[in-house]
Amino acid sequence: MARVKGFRRSGDVHEEAPEHSMDPRAAEERPYRPTVIDNAIYRDGRRVDTPGSLAAAFECLNEIPGSMAWIGLYRPKEWELVKLGEEFELHELALEDAIVGSQRPKADRYGDTLFVVLRAARYLDDVEEVAFGEVHVFIGPNFVITVRHAEAPDLQAVRKRMESEPELLKQGPQAVLYAILDAVVDGYAPVVAGLQKDIEEIEVQVFGGDPSVSRRVYELSGEVIEFQRATAPLVGMLNAFIAGASKHGMNDELQSYLRDVADHAITVSERISAFRQMLQDILIVNSTLVTQAQNAEMARMTEASIQQGEEVKKISAWAAILFAPTLVGTIYGMNFDFMPETHWAFGYPFAIVLMAAVCLTLYLVFKRRDWL
C-alpha cells in the first residue's frame, strides 16, 4: 500500500506527521487507555476468537472462512493506523483523515471499503454544555475498524448489543455500521432534551430581565450551530446508504432499520433548526425588551430632570424675591451720617413699602412665567 501522506520513516523510528503535530488534541492531557479497546473475530454472528494483536486478527480472517473482524481503537498512534492500513489495504486519504481527526461527518467509498465519519454528542448536565465526539469507521467486505477520538459514542455498548443479537450480527459489517449509526443518532435525544431545557430557562431569564441572559443566548447559539453541523449531513448520508442498499447487498431488514435511523435523524435535524430559530427570536425579543427598558429609564431620567428644573426655578425665584428686601435693608443699614432719608420721618415706612413693592412685583412676574 502507498505510504500515508505526511508519514515518514527513519529506520525503525516512526515520526509524527505534521498534520497530527498541529492537531490541538495532541497537547491535551489525557488519562492513559489502551489503544486497542477490543479485537474480535466473528462467524455467524458469534465471537470465535479474540486475537492478541492487529496482525493476529488479520491472520485469523484468512484462516477462518466466512469470518468478520471487528477492531475497536481509541486514539491510536499514527504508526498503528498506518500498520493497520497496510494489513487491510485502507486508502491513504481515509487513513490521513483518521489520523488528523476533526473531520466533518461524511461517507466516502474507496473500492470495496467504505469510510464513514460521525460526530457524536453528549449533554453535560453539571455545566449545561454539549460535548462532541468523533468516530471514524472503516467498513470492508469482512472487517469493521472503528477509531474513536473521544469518549462518545460508547461503542462497547454497541458491541454488547450486537453480540446479544447474533442473527443481526451475522449479517456482517453493514449490520455493525447500522448499529453504530443507531447509537450515534439515539445519543442525540438527551442532547435535544438538554437544549430544550436550556432554552426554556433562557426564556424565563429574558422576561425576568436578567442582564446576563444575552451572553448565555450567544453561547447556546454556538452550541446549537455546532450540533447542527454534526447532525445535518447524517440525513443525506443515510438516504444515500438506503438508495445504494441493493447495490451493496444490504437485505430488506437492514434497510428497514436504516430508514428508522434516518427518520430519527430527520426529527433531530428539524428540532435543531427550530432551536436555532427560537434562539434568534429570543435575541430579538431580548433586544426589544432591553431597548424598552432603556427608553423607560431615559424617560424617567428626563422626567426627573424636568422636575429638578422646576424646583430650581422655584428656588431661584424665591431667592430673587428675598434678595430685594435684603438689598434695600443693606443700603439703609449703612452707617453714614450724610445719607438721604436717614433723618426723614417717613424713611422707615418708605423702606418697608419699597421692599414690599419690589417683592410683590417680582412675585407677580415669576408667577406669570410659571416659575412659582
Side-chain angles (χ1 to χ4, degrees), residues 70-73 97-98 101-106 115-121 132-138 144-155 177 180-181 183-184 188:
W70 184 353
I71 303 171
L73 304 176
D97 288 344
S102 301
Q103 302 294 317
R104 62 177 180 82
K106 62 179 180 178
F115 176 63
V116 179
V117 179
L118 301 173
R119 296 290 304 279
F132 296 93
E134 185 174 342
V135 59
H136 300 237
V137 186
F138 295 89
V144 177
I145 300 172
T146 59
V147 180
R148 277 193 300 143
H149 293 285
E151 297 301 320
D154 184 4
L155 296 184
L177 175 60
I180 295 173
L181 287 166
V184 170
Y188 293 151

Side-chain angles (χ1 to χ4, degrees), residues 31-326:
Y32 173 77
R33 291 184 60 179
T35 298
V36 180
I37 301 300
D38 205 342
N39 183 12
I41 302 297
Y42 297 91
R43 183 178 181 182
D44 295 329
R46 300 187 184 278
R47 185 188 290 241
V48 295
D49 197 359
T50 304
S53 66
L54 300 179
F58 185 73
E59 292 178 2
C60 286
L61 277 180
N62 294 329
E63 294 174 357
I64 304 176
S67 61
M68 177 190 75
W70 184 353
I71 303 171
L73 304 176
Y74 177 79
R75 287 174 174 161
K77 303 295 183 181
E78 181 176 326
W79 66 267
E80 292 176 310
L81 281 176
V82 171
K83 184 64 177 177
L84 197 66
E86 293 173 351
E87 296 287 357
F88 289 91
E89 298 183 354
L90 304 179
H91 197 277
E92 62 179 26
L93 293 179
L95 274 179
E96 183 179 350
D97 288 344
I99 291 170
V100 177
S102 301
Q103 302 294 317
R104 62 177 180 82
K106 62 179 180 178
D108 295 327
R109 187 171 291 278
Y110 301 96
D112 293 334
T113 303
L114 176 65
F115 176 63
V116 179
V117 179
L118 301 173
R119 296 290 304 279
R122 292 185 301 157
Y123 185 79
L124 307 179
D125 291 304
D126 52 345
V127 293
E128 295 184 336
E129 292 180 356
V130 180
F132 296 93
E134 185 174 342
V135 59
H136 300 237
V137 186
F138 295 89
I139 304 294
N142 60 348
F143 65 86
V144 177
I145 300 172
T146 59
V147 180
R148 277 193 300 143
H149 293 285
E151 297 301 320
D154 184 4
L155 296 184
Q156 284 294 92
V158 175
R159 189 185 291 267
K160 290 179 180 179
R161 172 199 169 185
M162 295 298 288
E163 289 181 347
S164 67
E165 301 180 39
E167 290 300 318
L168 180 60
L169 183 56
K170 71 185 294 185
Q171 297 183 38
Q174 293 184 348
V176 177
L177 175 60
Y178 148 73
I180 295 173
L181 287 166
D182 188 46
V184 170
V185 174
D186 285 349
Y188 293 151
V191 180
V192 171
L195 292 175
Q196 177 69 50
K197 181 181 177 182
D198 288 344
I199 292 175
E200 291 173 355
E201 292 176 355
I202 285 175
E203 288 176 341
V204 174
Q205 286 182 278
V206 166
F207 291 103
D210 189 342
S212 64
V213 70
S214 296
R215 180 183 180 88
R216 189 177 181 189
V217 172
Y218 178 79
E219 292 175 348
L220 189 60
S221 296
E223 292 182 359
V224 170
I225 291 173
E226 185 68 18
F227 193 24
Q228 191 173 41
R229 289 173 180 169
T231 58
L234 276 180
V235 177
M237 187 188 304
L238 287 164
N239 288 335
F241 288 160
I242 295 170
S246 300
K247 176 181 177 182
H248 297 288
M250 185 181 296
N251 61 29
D252 294 339
E253 183 182 10
L254 272 182
Q255 292 183 45
S256 299
Y257 289 155
L258 277 180
R259 278 192 289 269
D260 181 66
V261 176
D263 289 340
H264 292 172
I266 291 172
T267 300
V268 170
S269 181
E270 290 174 349
R271 292 291 300 279
I272 297 171
S273 297
F275 287 164
R276 189 169 180 179
Q277 184 61 49
M278 288 173 64
L279 288 171
Q280 290 177 351
D281 293 342
I282 287 174
L283 276 177
I284 294 173
V285 171
N286 183 60
S287 177
T288 302
L289 292 176
V290 169
T291 301
Q292 290 177 348
Q294 291 176 343
N295 291 339
E297 181 65 18
M298 291 181 63
R300 188 191 64 79
M301 293 178 63
T302 301
E303 184 179 352
S305 178
I306 292 173
Q307 185 176 2
Q308 185 179 15
E310 293 296 325
E311 295 297 328
V312 170
K313 287 195 295 185
K314 289 180 182 180
I315 294 172
S316 300
W318 284 113
I321 292 172
L322 294 176
F323 177 72
T326 302

